[in-house]
Amino acid sequence: MKQTKIAGIGMYVPEQIISNQDLSAVMDTSDSWIRERTGIQERHYASYGKETSTTMGVKAAEQAIKRAGITAADIDFIIFATLSPDYFFPGCSVLLQRSMEMKEVAALDIRNQCSGFVYGLSIADQFIKTGMYKNILVVAAETQSFALNFSNTGRNVSVIFGDGAGAVVLQPTNQPNSGILSTHLHSDGKGAELLSMINPGFHGGYYKNGQNNSEEISAFNRPFITGEQKEEHDFDAFMDGQVVFKKAVEKFPEVIMEALNANQLQTNDISILIPHQANLRISQFIQQKLKLTDEQVFNNIQRYGNTTAASVPIALCEAWEQGKIKDGDIVCLAAFGSGFTWASALLRW
């Protein structure tokens, strides 16, 4: 069976940089408050009316395709991961295919939030191994700033997130024990509402504050978005930070060790760990628990914030561009997020 290699990698972040001081001008927060809790110093925001998850995904994809030494015409499958699509439907994958003037290729959208890129990598790996596709483009892009609540009510969430995109081109390789060695995917929906944006949604009022709502609604009076929801600002993302933190620091090490054990490797075999950039404190906890050195863990949340699905490919691309990833290195990717979902991938570069 063939192995899957990353043949090209790319990233894009918007030009607009928003510092902690910028946020403190519109809400009751401070640079020290944000840094202490998240490690974030600044983040990038998309240009409203000019940039979207698709347009940023295209820029990252173009770079990845060029570095792979192919053209957009060679791509035979697109996988697009985002929680902030341009449209409610259709998904961004077909919009990217249209924008890049590709042939009529397969296109798949996945909604695994922070774990989206690693999930996409795993899906692509299976298609490469079976020989069904030969040049798979996996894109993760987020335009979260358009939906953030920049008030004191929303500050605990709004200070964390940023915009950006990352992409890879995956191809088969005949070189044994190289490329993607294994992927590991998990979920637990019991805490689904603890990190969520429930509205707008097609639940018809079934969920209210995360609970089952049995109120009957007339068949001819079913508004998709209600006036009450607008008045109550019911479209904000919600996060129970303490619960999410505790779950993340439990599942991150588990899924990393699962990948290592599956390949008979130890933590000291990791050349570099690229964790989802959720919170610098989470990454530091993982590093301490697994007894990894500073050189073994790559973090860039300080400059980009949490770019959700895009954070792993952005960090992977930067680490590679900075020469921190070399041929033969063992690279571990890991993510945890809304759902809850978590995942890992182990690669030999």
Side-chain angles (χ1 to χ4, degrees), residues 2 12 25-26 53 73 78 91 115 177-178 196 213 215 257 260 281 294 298 318 336:
K2 295 181 182 297
Y12 172 81
V26 297
S53 293
I78 303 164
S115 304
N177 196 30
S178 66
S196 64
N213 176 32
E215 180 182 349
M257 291 307 303
L260 291 173
R281 308 307 165 217
D294 290 345
F298 186 82
E318 274 209 332
F336 173 90

Side-chain angles (χ1 to χ4, degrees), residues 185-197:
L185 313 178
H186 298 277
S187 71
D188 180 2
K190 289 192 292 290
E193 287 77 25
L194 298 176
L195 179 51
S196 64
M197 181 185 284

